[in-house]
Amino acid sequence: MSDASPALDEAFDRMALSDFELPNGFVNHGPMACEALAALGCEDQIDRWARWFTEMVGEGARPAEPRGVGGSAWKDALGDYRLLPEWVGYFERALADDGWARTVEIWVPRLVPGLATVLFHGAIRTAHAVRAIDAVETSARRAELARA
């Protein structure tokens, strides 16, 4: 993978607008597929595939001001899908304030008890995002990690 793959960053920006679920109810694996294509050296395939995929998925949650998540209330907010925009907003802020490595260090152990939820999707998406941001930190990769 080219460390500064513009195709991957553009795909992450495009995927950030897509829903977390597909129209059939399955979870969205699009960002992970784009990162895998980059890791496999298939960067020339990312843009076309990401455009097709995001059109099929549709728009999703936008980050919101975190009011009911984070702080001491985080345990009670876990699993509440209605709070998804707040969680994304919370993680965007945490990544900006604390950096990606510290945020992962704090939150992965907290979320491990729910690891098997949705067939490990969150753990797998987080691993893909960490691999991408570890190669080079960009705003698109921070946003993907926040959503992961």
Side-chain angles (χ1 to χ4, degrees):
M1 168 174 33
S2 166
D3 286 351
S5 169
L8 180 58
D9 286 343
E10 290 169 14
F12 278 162
D13 283 339
R14 188 170 286 109
M15 293 286 168
L17 303 175
S18 65
D19 202 350
F20 281 83
E21 294 180 353
L22 304 179
N24 64 7
F26 292 164
V27 292
N28 180 347
H29 289 82
M32 296 178 287
C34 291
E35 193 277 336
L37 286 169
L40 292 168
C42 300
E43 292 175 3
D44 60 329
Q45 300 296 313
I46 295 172
D47 183 64
R48 182 179 54 77
W49 188 87
R51 287 178 186 277
W52 167 80
F53 191 82
T54 54
E55 288 177 22
M56 184 262 307
V57 174
E59 291 192 19
R62 298 291 175 266
E65 183 68 27
R67 301 188 195 299
V69 303
S72 61
W74 69 269
K75 285 183 183 178
D76 293 333
L78 288 177
D80 188 340
Y81 199 77
R82 296 169 300 162
L83 296 175
L84 184 59
E86 291 184 44
W87 275 115
V88 175
Y90 174 84
F91 282 117
E92 283 185 347
R93 181 179 297 160
L95 291 165
D97 292 349
D98 301 329
W100 73 266
R102 179 72 180 137
T103 302
V104 168
E105 180 183 353
I106 291 168
W107 279 95
V108 166
R110 289 179 178 178
L111 299 174
V112 162
L115 189 65
T117 303
V118 194
L119 301 173
F120 297 87
H121 185 266
I124 297 167
R125 187 168 179 179
T126 298
H128 278 276
V130 165
R131 180 167 60 180
I133 202 170
D134 189 44
V136 64
E137 186 171 347
T138 65
S139 61
R141 294 170 195 219
R142 280 191 304 275
E144 172 54 20
L145 183 56
R147 294 177 67 80

